[in-house]
Amino acid sequence: MTVRRSGLGRVLIVALTGVIAFSWAAAPAAADPDDEIGKIEEEIEKEADELEGIVEDYNAISEDLAKTKSKIKKLEKKLAPYEEELDELYDSTEGLATAAYKQQGLSEMSAFLNAGTPERFVDRITLLDGVSASTAEIIGKIVDKKAKYDEDLAVLEDLRVDLAESEELLQEKKDTITEGIEGLQKDRKDAFGPDAGYVPDYIPGDRGKIVSQAMAQRGKPYVWAASGPGGYDCSGLILDAYRQLGINLPHNAAAQYNMSMHISRDQLQPGDAVFYNGLQHVAMYIGDGYVVHAPTFGDVVKVEPLDQAATPYYGAGRFI
């Protein structure tokens, strides 16, 4: 019996085999460190998008593989009684087959054993002395059922092999891309320079855009009532970051808090706003217990630990 490979497995294997090799270009040296960081972030974004697709494909393959394995187990369980019944029948007919060999010769016995289809098997087994037509018919039905189940089992097993191969290839590509992104994240942190202090990993998507915009303002002076590009006050820095997404926030910390969805401290994600001192100050959470903010007159936009940026902590808010 010839079993065809599943279309899904075949397509995935062909597609993935050609893309396992993965490389990324090192960020070119640039006079403007922000430009270098931007190029690295673009590459991370690109690879993160590809990784997201690979992960979804991997999850789908894993689910299909689990379902196929379950089908194989059910079919094997269903086959078990027939296997036992066939064994008993083979045992009971062993004497008849031996007698046929002695009485009718090797050529006749070979014809019997190689009947091919269950129908021909029934026709030929009735030629053996001592086998009734009803017994032959029962044996033929069992052989027929066994043949059909064997065929189904072979198809499922072939699909399982295809899916397992695709899963392995997807895992390999997933690992390769992940390793590449980790290298790019390191390059990005290095590009910020030794004086940067804490630098969060780049976050693809809208939250990443917000954090990147705020981080790009580091070192710029605190300017009252300013929202960039030359300087910022605390709420102006948050306003400017969210403006990149087309989200218009008021230029006031208390008003921003009232506009936000209030969240607990343990729910903070990069890009969320952190409020202090009775809503007199606001900063942006960037991960790992750090915020970026515009502190006060005579200072610059900087990164600091959440609990050292200002006091006392008031609450947190989310806009996306």
Side-chain angles (χ1 to χ4, degrees):
M1 176 183 64
T2 300
V3 182
R4 296 181 179 177
R5 285 187 175 276
S6 67
L8 172 63
R10 188 167 57 252
V11 170
L12 278 171
I13 291 170
V14 171
L16 289 172
T17 300
V19 294
I20 289 300
F22 169 76
S23 62
W24 62 93
D32 184 355
D34 287 340
D35 183 56
E36 180 181 357
I37 292 167
K39 289 179 179 179
I40 295 174
E41 289 178 348
E42 287 180 6
E43 187 65 23
I44 293 174
E45 184 89 37
K46 175 184 175 183
E47 300 307 333
D49 287 344
E50 183 177 358
L51 179 61
E52 185 175 358
I54 291 295
V55 169
E56 287 305 305
D57 288 343
Y58 179 85
N59 291 340
I61 286 292
S62 295
E63 286 192 10
D64 288 343
L65 185 57
K67 290 176 183 177
T68 300
K69 288 179 179 178
S70 177
K71 288 180 181 179
I72 290 174
K73 286 183 179 179
K74 288 180 180 179
L75 192 55
E76 287 175 339
K77 185 176 180 180
K78 196 172 183 180
L79 273 171
Y82 292 98
E83 295 280 5
E84 294 174 4
E85 195 168 356
L86 278 170
D87 287 341
E88 292 176 5
L89 282 166
Y90 290 152
D91 290 342
S92 65
T93 56
E94 184 178 1
L96 294 173
T98 301
Y101 169 69
K102 291 180 179 179
Q103 294 172 12
Q104 301 174 26
L106 180 60
S107 60
E108 287 294 327
M109 190 60 202
S110 296
F112 160 64
L113 292 173
N114 298 312
T117 66
E119 292 79 10
R120 294 181 65 189
F121 175 82
V122 172
D123 290 340
R124 295 191 179 189
I125 199 172
T126 55
L127 298 176
L128 293 177
D129 293 336
V131 178
S132 66
S134 60
T135 300
E137 185 177 358
I138 292 172
I139 295 173
K141 286 181 179 178
I142 294 173
V143 171
D144 188 24
K145 288 182 180 179
K146 174 65 165 56
K148 289 179 180 178
Y149 284 125
D150 280 347
E151 183 175 357
D152 290 342
L153 184 60
V155 171
L156 285 173
E157 181 62 24
D158 188 70
L159 178 58
R160 186 196 67 77
V161 171
D162 276 356
L163 291 173
E165 290 176 356
S166 298
E167 185 182 42
E168 183 178 355
L169 288 168
L170 284 166
Q171 180 64 56
E172 186 176 345
K173 182 163 177 60
K174 175 183 170 184
D175 292 344
T176 304
I177 294 177
T178 300
E179 182 180 348
I181 290 176
E182 289 175 355
L184 287 166
Q185 294 281 22
K186 184 178 182 303
D187 291 344
R188 176 179 174 274
K189 289 185 177 182
D190 290 343
F192 271 92
D195 300 327
Y198 173 80
V199 177
D201 281 344
Y202 175 69
I203 309 155
D206 286 346
R207 288 187 175 276
K209 291 176 183 177
I210 296 166
V211 171
S212 291
Q213 177 64 17
M215 287 292 292
Q217 313 315 316
R218 289 166 48 258
K220 292 184 179 181
Y222 178 96
V223 177
W224 180 75
S227 58
Y232 299 85
D233 64 6
C234 67
S235 58
L237 182 68
I238 308 302
L239 181 161
D240 177 62
Y242 276 90
R243 187 161 50 196
Q244 312 308 309
L245 300 181
I247 297 175
N248 297 314
L249 299 181
H251 197 157
N252 174 268
Q256 288 179 1
Y257 180 77
N258 292 334
M259 183 177 174
S260 70
M261 178 179 71
H262 302 164
I263 59 174
S264 63
R265 181 166 172 155
D266 61 4
Q267 292 176 307
L268 278 168
Q269 296 181 30
D272 289 337
V274 181
F275 298 88
Y276 301 88
N277 191 23
L279 297 179
Q280 296 300 305
H281 186 67
V282 61
M284 178 182 293
Y285 186 71
I286 58 174
D288 294 332
Y290 285 86
V291 296
V292 59
H293 68 139
T296 187
F297 288 104
D299 211 335
V300 297
V301 176
K302 64 173 64 173
V303 172
E304 292 187 292
L306 185 152
D307 290 319
Q308 296 178 22
T311 57
Y313 176 88
Y314 184 89
R318 179 168 294 165
F319 302 106
I320 58 173

